[in-house]
Amino acid sequence: MSSGRVHAACPSALLVDLYELTMMQAYREHCIDGLATFDLYVRELPPERNFLLTAGLGTVLELLEGLRFSAEDIAFLRSIETFDDGFLDTLVDFRFTGDVDAMPEGTVAFGGEPILRVTAPIVEGQFFETVIVNQIHLQTLLASKAARVVLAAGGRALVDFGLRRMHGVDAGTAGARALWIAGFDATSNVLAGQLFGIPVAGTMAHSFVQCHGSELDAFRNFTTSFPETTLLVDTYETLRGVDTVVELARELGPEFRVGAVRLDSGDLAKLAPETRRKLDAAGLDGVRIFASGNLDEERVQHLVRSGAPIHGFGVGTRLGTSEDVPNLEAVYKLAELDGRPLLKLSTDKATLPGVKQVWRRSGESGLMDGDVIGLAEEEPHGTPLLVPVMREGRRLDSGREELTESRRRAAGELGALPPPLREIEPAAIPYRVEISDLLERSRNALARQVLG
């Protein structure tokens, strides 16, 4: 399966915050052209999250490789009369020539940990901030939400129904990619199926039933077109809809090949057992029950723990918009320039200086047992999480990873979480993330220096 691509072509280079361009011109005018290191990380976990699941790296690397300024882009910049001609001339051949080290997609991460590190000439590292944060933020946000649904579902099938209410076309497609990495089994998004090789799923809507004289006519016609389908039974009254499926089964006899019925409204915890009883009484024990309708991890968990005989869930709006946590405090900060460590001391927004690595320790049981953020030059404190994925502007093999590998990693990482972190509720004791002694000393010494 291909890692795919989010765009049929790279978007315009003008998909950037204006201040990236103004800084680039100022860097040029003042001869600031050294090799810079930037870190992308999420400052703190939201209280509703015990962990993050990283996603979006493949998209970012594609953009770094392919994004260029077109003649039309440069003409527009000239028209706004903000930039000088000398600077605009440099954009004709502008491209990313730097290095990227990152946590592979599907890695569990925590607050404050660099997820991605860019080392490049400062004008390049600065320019790409916008698209890097945009894609890592979106896909990590949605993968992290989806991972909670996967854990709550306990192995039951999950289909992404989020496209129509996700925040825009790019979010709908990149989001489907992230949900697949996190462990969803299929998507309703056909474009995501084409681009990423994700299985696509979907059958019928209420409108198909409504435009017939009866539910039976609707079900009969649809199964004529698609015999092995899922029938939506709640257009009028759910249990009567189930009775109609039973009637159709009797009518068709051996030709009846419907695989499931879908419950999309009402009290699913009560309707699912009653639906199962009716189906089993009619000898339709092979027809499964699929549920949808305003589901999220908490509702899925409730249904699973109640013992409702539901074989799979379609999860849409609350997942695709990450309703409970609609954003992460993802930031991209300069950490070093030409070998000189740099930091911020802003209240609640201080940064760590230097080129860093994140190491993970595992306990005897194989479960995660704490992370250490330190300087990359240090002796290892565990397994390094940031790995080379791009050198001199070109993806390495590790930067062309198949999505199936990212998905496999995500499953393994979720399985290696300590049990309290797998729960939907906030863990009483958060996961331990430490700063190494050497990095702590470096930060303190640099803070004293800049404060005079």
Side-chain angles (χ1 to χ4, degrees):
M1 182 181 299
S2 170
S3 61
R5 52 196 177 135
V6 169
H7 303 278
C10 286
S12 166
L14 298 186
L15 188 63
V16 65
D17 292 309
L18 180 65
Y19 82 166
E20 315 289 14
L21 293 164
T22 56
M23 281 190 287
M24 288 168 68
Q25 177 167 310
Y27 287 144
R28 179 176 180 273
E29 290 177 351
H30 297 283
C31 300
I32 301 172
D33 57 1
L35 199 65
T37 294
F38 291 86
D39 295 326
L40 183 146
Y41 58 96
V42 174
R43 282 197 177 105
E44 294 182 346
L45 291 183
E48 301 87 347
R49 295 288 181 269
N50 290 325
F51 63 89
L52 301 174
L53 189 71
T54 64
L57 175 62
T59 308
V60 164
L61 296 179
E62 178 193 356
L63 294 173
L64 289 177
E65 259 191 349
L67 208 62
R68 301 287 189 276
F69 285 90
S70 69
E72 291 78 10
D73 294 336
I74 295 172
F76 173 77
L77 293 177
R78 201 178 307 278
S79 75
I80 64 176
E81 300 181 351
T82 299
F83 303 100
D84 66 46
D85 289 341
F87 169 68
L88 294 176
D89 289 344
T90 69
L91 301 182
V92 173
D93 297 317
F94 180 83
R95 70 177 185 88
F96 184 76
T97 64
D99 300 342
V100 179
D101 294 77
M103 294 185 185
E105 294 187 271
T107 300
V108 163
F110 300 91
E113 297 182 341
I115 294 172
L116 175 147
R117 185 178 75 221
V118 170
T119 301
I122 191 166
V123 292
E124 297 175 19
Q126 190 72 67
F127 172 78
F128 284 98
E129 173 185 12
T130 302
V131 292
I132 291 174
V133 176
N134 177 275
Q135 288 300 320
I136 297 292
H137 174 267
L138 170 69
Q139 295 192 46
T140 296
L141 175 75
L142 295 181
S144 302
K145 177 75 168 176
R148 289 163 56 85
V149 180
V150 169
L151 292 170
R156 290 161 182 80
L158 292 169
V159 181
D160 155 31
F161 279 2
L163 174 60
R164 66 187 60 191
R165 294 198 181 105
M166 285 183 176
H167 296 159
V169 174
D170 179 73
T173 307
R177 180 185 187 278
L179 305 186
W180 168 251
I181 289 172
F184 267 59
D185 299 288
T187 181
S188 66
N189 184 336
V190 180
L191 178 60
Q194 179 198 35
L195 295 178
F196 310 127
I198 303 171
V200 293
T203 54
M204 65 189 306
H206 298 102
S207 54
F208 188 84
V209 176
Q210 289 175 281
C211 69
H212 286 77
S214 70
E215 260 187 329
L216 182 58
D217 287 342
F219 291 172
R220 184 186 294 119
N221 284 346
F222 201 80
T223 55
T224 298
S225 299
F226 302 98
E228 298 176 0
T229 192
T230 296
L231 293 175
L232 182 60
V233 296
D234 77 320
T235 302
Y236 302 119
E237 198 281 316
T238 299
L239 295 178
R240 287 184 62 184
V242 176
D243 290 338
T244 304
V245 173
V246 171
E247 183 179 353
L248 179 68
R250 289 173 179 155
E251 176 184 303
L252 294 179
E255 298 302 313
F256 180 82
R257 306 209 305 269
V258 170
V261 296
R262 176 178 158 206
L263 313 180
D264 190 51
S265 59
D267 188 340
L268 299 176
K270 291 183 178 179
L271 288 171
E274 294 178 24
T275 297
R276 184 75 272 155
R277 179 181 58 78
K278 284 178 175 287
L279 293 172
D280 290 350
L284 300 177
D285 51 302
V287 176
R288 297 190 166 195
I289 298 173
F290 185 83
S292 58
N294 296 319
L295 297 178
D296 59 13
E297 63 267 44
E298 293 182 358
R299 296 185 181 195
V300 168
Q301 178 177 266
H302 169 72
L303 290 168
V304 169
R305 290 183 175 177
S306 74
I310 296 172
H311 297 88
F313 300 95
V315 190
T317 301
R318 293 172 183 241
L319 170 64
T321 60
S322 189
E323 185 176 89
D324 63 325
V325 178
N327 66 80
L328 303 170
E329 199 173 2
V331 295
Y332 180 89
K333 297 299 177 184
L334 182 62
E336 185 172 286
L337 179 63
D338 274 345
R340 179 167 60 94
L342 303 171
L343 85 170
K344 279 179 57 182
L345 295 174
S346 310
T347 303
D348 299 326
K349 294 185 177 182
T351 65
L352 294 171
V355 178
K356 294 173 289 295
Q357 177 59 272
V358 183
W359 291 276
R360 178 155 295 160
R361 295 166 172 163
S362 297
E364 293 182 2
S365 63
L367 299 181
M368 299 175 190
D369 193 36
D371 292 359
V372 178
I373 306 171
L375 294 170
E377 65 199 50
E378 296 184 42
E379 290 296 317
H381 295 274
T383 301
L385 300 186
L386 296 170
V387 300
V389 291
M390 177 174 273
R391 288 294 180 263
E392 297 181 354
R394 293 288 178 260
R395 280 177 284 180
L396 306 177
D397 288 345
S398 55
R400 299 180 183 275
E401 182 174 271
E402 301 285 343
L403 277 191
T404 50
E405 178 62 20
S406 304
R407 178 181 169 87
R408 183 205 60 77
R409 179 181 299 105
E413 293 270 307
L414 295 178
L417 281 168
L421 271 66
R422 297 180 211 164
E423 297 297 326
I424 302 305
E425 299 76 20
I429 301 175
Y431 186 79
R432 185 173 68 256
V433 178
E434 302 173 348
I435 297 174
S436 73
D437 291 340
L438 182 59
L439 178 54
E440 185 70 46
R441 291 196 300 271
S442 175
R443 175 174 65 177
N444 292 341
L446 187 55
R448 289 192 296 270
Q449 177 184 331
V450 299
L451 292 174

